[in-house]
Amino acid sequence: MLEHIKDKTSDYLLTLIQIMPDIIVFKDGKGAWVEANDAALQLFELDRDAYKGKTNLDFQRSKPHMEEFFHTCEETDNEAWRRGKTIHFEEKFKRSDGSTVIIEFIKEPVMAEDGRREWLIVVGRDITERKLIQDHLNEQNVVLEMVAKGRPLQDILGHIIEFVEKQTEAVCSILLLDNDLLKHGMAPRLPASFLRAVDGIRIGPDMGSCGTAAYYNKNIIVSDIENDPLWRDFREIALDHGFRACWSVPFTDKDNQVIGTFAIYYKTRKSPETRELQMIERSAYLIGLVIERNKAEETIRKLAFFDSLTELPNRKSFQHILEKTMAEAKQKNQLFAVLYLDLDGFKFINDSMGHSVGDLLLQRVSQRLQDLVSNKGIVSRQGGDEFTILLPNTSKAETEAYCQKIMEALNAPFRIQDHDLYISTSIGISMFPFDGETIEALVKNADMAMYHAKRQGRNHGMPRHEA
């Protein structure tokens, strides 16, 4: 498409599209690929010199591991043409290396004046990490509720393992430390003969992944059991059972003393991606909390309804508060607002300066928001760098004024570790009852409005009815 643009900016536009991190593809009216940026070619594992003129059907034949995905692409292409307007959807598929990717797609059909199909513009964004974080936050709330309700320890540990195994397609194991010996805790899918071989091993500097992790109180990643010296004494039994990689994360009590290890086993040589390691670390942390529940009942009950980092109400708690607010608003015929905030620039700071600085920044942001809202509303952390605010018994004008105050407050620098850190925020607004009469609708519409605000250039507030 861009090749047909005759003005002098076409080369600049093509360059801009090529360097964008989002997936961008242009197809002609017959479904043939005309132009795709590097992000698209890399994701779909396509050759720069061979993709042009190809169709979804061609890719189904040449990419058998992605046959189902390209079949869905054909269906959604046709849906966009049939509707004659933009469509939005999410799609999950597996790459050749076995990794699962989740993409948020937008497809925009362009029709000629005579009604012929002219161009189909496809834009996609990788939301895998966001989805995994959200899934794990939801899982954390489920587990903590199980703890708060007094469910048996084995049920809770089994639930955690089932979740992680589903996410990673690996086999998980929990070992508990008892007088320098690691003993079997929970491993429903590990063979009994393997469990017997590793049950009761003494921790030490070269005792496989788990024994070494417990000894040093740090993560031990063994990507190749066959050739790693840490597995010298256990290599044969592991290989006999088909295990080729083992990552182990220790979990500790409130005094940071190791009480066990959480490990996942793969049947192929494999090194963890950052998001995979973070998920295992979060799971290990949860396991430590669960096992220590008899010593920390009060802390666990609080974590079921409050974010552990910021001590703000979490997603579950916010829903309970919304239910009460909605019931009161209906009874008294009042308005209330839900604000959905996403921090602009946080990911760059978190990635470049480290998670410890990122965590401090989130704590400072939450404190600044609480100071601003004070007793006039409720601030909640939804997860990651997303927050929600409930403003009861308010008006549209008051709500928009509050949004302006929030943006101004977060524009001011945060002094952390001798650095002035700058962020901004994009805010979505939904008003009860205009933008929804259920909790799900209000939160979803505020979330959608926030993404529209972000597309406006960030540091914006966007009411749902304007999105």
Side-chain angles (χ1 to χ4, degrees):
M1 177 181 182
L2 293 178
E3 293 175 355
H4 298 279
I5 298 176
K6 301 301 183 181
D7 62 62
K8 63 181 180 181
T9 64
S10 61
D11 289 341
Y12 297 112
L13 288 172
L14 186 57
T15 300
L16 177 62
I17 288 171
Q18 287 295 343
I19 65 175
M20 287 184 68
D22 288 346
I23 301 153
I24 300 178
V25 178
F26 293 93
K27 302 181 183 181
D28 65 19
K30 295 181 180 179
W33 286 44
V34 177
E35 193 69 59
N37 68 352
D38 289 341
L41 298 180
Q42 182 179 1
L43 180 71
F44 301 132
E45 303 173 14
L46 299 176
D47 234 352
R48 169 156 291 287
D49 299 326
Y51 77 89
K52 290 187 178 182
K54 299 291 180 63
T55 65
N56 292 324
L57 181 58
D58 294 326
F59 294 135
Q60 287 181 59
R61 294 167 178 161
S62 62
K63 300 281 182 182
H65 64 283
M66 295 174 66
E67 180 181 358
E68 185 177 348
F69 169 75
F70 281 110
H71 176 73
T72 303
C73 282
E74 184 68 16
E75 291 182 336
T76 53
D77 285 359
N78 290 331
E79 182 182 355
W81 287 121
R82 180 176 55 79
R83 292 190 182 186
K85 63 180 182 179
T86 306
I87 64 170
H88 301 253
F89 64 97
E90 294 176 5
E91 185 65 25
K92 179 189 294 187
F93 69 95
K94 280 192 175 182
R95 291 166 53 85
S96 60
D97 62 3
S99 62
T100 299
V101 182
I102 306 172
I103 305 295
E104 181 180 57
F105 280 108
I106 298 173
K107 294 193 173 183
E108 175 74 37
V110 179
M111 314 296 289
E113 291 184 1
D114 60 3
R116 288 182 298 104
R117 298 178 178 182
E118 193 164 16
W119 302 103
L120 183 66
I121 304 172
V122 181
V123 179
R125 175 168 294 177
D126 188 341
I127 59 170
T128 310
E129 185 170 354
R130 171 183 155 194
K131 283 287 188 181
L132 288 177
I133 290 173
Q134 190 58 66
D135 287 347
H136 196 275
L137 287 170
N138 291 338
E139 174 67 11
Q140 175 177 289
N141 287 334
V142 170
V143 169
L144 293 174
E145 282 190 314
M146 292 174 73
V147 173
K149 292 177 179 178
R151 293 284 297 275
L153 178 62
Q154 294 299 303
D155 288 355
I156 300 172
L157 297 182
H159 185 86
I160 295 172
I161 285 179
E162 181 181 359
F163 170 78
V164 176
E165 289 183 338
K166 182 179 179 181
Q167 293 286 324
T168 61
E169 298 183 357
V171 178
C172 294
S173 163
I174 297 173
L175 296 177
L176 304 178
L177 186 60
D178 181 14
N179 293 324
D180 288 344
L181 300 179
L182 283 174
K183 298 184 178 180
H184 171 59
M186 171 73 70
R189 292 179 57 213
L190 275 179
S193 55
F194 183 80
L195 289 175
R196 287 192 297 269
V198 299
D199 189 21
I201 66 169
R202 185 172 297 278
I203 65 174
D206 56 355
M207 298 295 287
S209 299
C210 295
T212 310
Y215 183 79
Y216 287 116
N217 191 9
K218 69 176 186 179
N219 300 347
I220 296 296
I221 306 299
V222 173
S223 304
D224 181 5
I225 289 175
E226 187 172 7
N227 296 297
D228 196 300
L230 293 182
W231 276 81
R232 181 181 60 249
D233 294 339
F234 309 97
R235 182 177 293 117
E236 185 176 350
I237 186 69
L239 297 179
D240 285 347
H241 287 85
F243 298 127
R244 295 295 183 270
C246 178
W247 316 335
S248 183
V249 176
F251 49 86
T252 62
D253 62 15
K254 61 183 177 61
D255 299 317
N256 200 35
Q257 298 299 305
V258 175
I259 57 175
T261 61
F262 180 53
I264 67 173
Y265 294 83
Y266 283 96
K267 297 211 168 184
T268 58
R269 297 180 180 91
K270 183 174 174 61
S271 298
E273 296 181 18
T274 299
R275 61 172 177 256
E276 292 174 321
L277 187 56
Q278 288 176 344
M279 180 182 68
I280 298 165
E281 289 174 338
R282 294 187 190 106
S283 298
Y285 173 73
L286 259 185
I287 292 168
L289 283 181
V290 171
I291 291 175
E292 283 289 284
R293 76 182 186 272
N294 291 330
K295 301 177 183 177
E297 281 297 328
E298 192 65 32
T299 301
I300 292 174
R301 287 195 189 97
K302 184 177 180 182
L303 283 173
F305 296 99
F306 289 85
D307 178 61
S308 58
L309 177 65
T310 63
E311 297 186 352
L312 292 174
N314 61 13
R315 179 186 297 267
K316 189 72 175 179
S317 181
F318 189 71
Q319 287 183 333
H320 290 327
I321 295 169
L322 271 179
E323 288 173 357
K324 294 178 181 178
T325 303
M326 182 175 289
E328 183 175 348
K330 289 179 178 179
Q331 185 180 19
K332 297 182 180 180
N333 196 28
Q334 294 175 338
L335 306 180
F336 68 86
V338 175
L339 312 183
Y340 208 112
L341 286 68
D342 182 89
L343 303 183
D344 305 325
F346 172 80
K347 187 178 186 301
F348 174 79
I349 293 172
N350 196 47
D351 290 347
S352 60
M353 301 189 70
H355 295 303
S356 60
V357 172
D359 288 349
L360 285 173
L361 180 56
L362 289 174
Q363 290 172 336
R364 300 284 181 83
V365 168
S366 65
Q367 188 57 58
R368 197 172 287 186
L369 290 175
Q370 288 183 93
D371 291 343
L372 183 65
V373 173
S374 188
N375 60 352
K376 296 177 181 174
I378 299 294
V379 181
S380 164
R381 184 185 178 204
Q382 292 292 292
D385 60 350
E386 294 181 345
F387 296 79
T388 50
I389 297 176
L390 168 65
L391 297 176
N393 192 22
T394 187
S395 67
K396 291 183 179 180
E398 289 174 342
T399 300
E400 292 177 4
Y402 248 104
C403 286
Q404 188 61 40
K405 290 179 181 179
I406 291 170
M407 289 186 290
E408 290 172 358
L410 296 187
N411 278 337
F414 293 81
R415 187 70 175 173
I416 297 177
Q417 295 185 359
D418 297 324
H419 293 279
D420 285 328
L421 304 182
Y422 292 87
I423 59 170
S424 58
T425 186
S426 299
I427 306 176
I429 307 168
S430 66
M431 298 288 301
F432 173 85
F434 309 112
D435 300 318
E437 296 188 5
T438 66
I439 292 170
E440 293 77 11
L442 285 169
V443 174
K444 179 181 179 181
N445 286 332
D447 187 18
M448 291 174 61
M450 180 271 290
Y451 277 102
H452 281 287
K454 192 175 283 290
R455 293 192 188 103
Q456 296 296 318
R458 305 187 176 189
N459 199 33
H460 276 72
M462 179 70 69
R464 172 66 184 116
H465 65 275
E466 293 181 11

